[in-house]
Amino acid sequence: MRTFIALDVPSAFEDELAGVSRQLASVVEGRFLNRSTYHVTLAFLGDVDEAEARLAMDALDAACDGMEAPALSPTGLGTFGRPHDATLWLGLATQPALMDLAERVRTELRERDIAFDAKAFRPHITLARRARIPRGQLPELLFPAPAVAPSVTLYKSILDQTGATYKPLYRIEF
């Protein structure tokens, strides 16, 4: 099964971010994601079997032990890729609790020999894929107010023609 570990966003933050996404969709072409998919990926594991999924749950328990809930503080928009075929995202401040949690999750996965995408952690929430970013100024946007992540979850990602659906496999509340 295809899996990842992510911070969940609180519902008020999700509501505000969905409003930003609607504003952007009026001027940016692309496939905007459903608000139910908003999350902050801490580690993308890819395909794992049942035994590895159980080890990932153990890693999550160890990583979150004694951790405070990290803050989600928007810093602005960013993209991965080319302007005519980009992934559009909302960046988040690299606050100590957030960065520490990401590092702890990755350390615990390594200690259990669970492979993951080891790219540097860059905290963000994906808003759109295959976006065509127009030249010039985007509209004035009111980003979500800073909030605290309510939980961290091991998700199973199910892909089909319409995109991805995420099924929680294991969750830890802060």
Side-chain angles (χ1 to χ4, degrees):
M1 70 186 114
R2 186 173 190 259
T3 59
F4 63 94
I5 295 172
L7 281 173
D8 300 306
V9 298
S11 56
F13 190 97
E14 182 182 290
D15 291 344
E16 292 174 32
L17 192 51
V20 170
S21 187
R22 278 190 302 276
Q23 281 184 280
L24 286 167
S26 69
V27 294
V28 175
E29 291 179 41
R31 186 171 58 83
F32 280 81
L33 290 130
N34 185 302
R35 65 189 289 149
S36 67
T37 66
Y38 295 161
H39 65 273
V40 181
T41 301
L42 299 174
F44 179 77
L45 309 180
D47 289 322
V48 300
D49 60 24
E50 291 292 328
E52 290 169 316
R54 281 191 296 280
L55 286 173
M57 292 174 197
D58 292 342
L60 200 50
D61 281 334
C64 293
D65 186 39
M67 288 294 297
E68 65 181 68
L72 306 174
S73 298
T75 58
L77 298 176
T79 60
F80 298 130
R82 301 176 304 268
H84 62 281
D85 185 17
T87 297
L88 176 63
W89 45 263
L90 175 72
L92 300 169
T94 56
Q95 298 187 2
L98 176 58
M99 302 308 285
D100 188 34
L101 178 61
E103 185 54 37
R104 286 178 68 163
V105 165
R106 291 162 176 241
T107 297
E108 294 295 336
L109 291 170
R110 271 188 223 94
E111 288 180 4
R112 290 163 179 77
D113 292 322
I114 300 171
F116 61 93
D117 184 346
K119 281 186 232 153
F121 175 60
R122 189 175 199 178
H124 69 278
I125 299 170
T126 300
L127 300 177
R129 299 195 189 283
R130 305 199 59 92
R132 292 176 180 233
I133 310 302
R135 291 185 182 164
Q137 197 85 1
L138 290 175
E140 180 104 6
L141 300 168
L142 182 61
F143 294 123
V148 173
S151 52
V152 61
T153 303
L154 172 65
Y155 282 101
K156 175 180 179 179
S157 176
I158 303 159
L159 299 176
D160 63 25
Q161 296 85 348
T162 61
T165 303
Y166 304 140
K167 177 184 176 191
L169 299 176
Y170 186 70
R171 177 169 285 144
I172 295 175
E173 306 284 332
F174 288 108

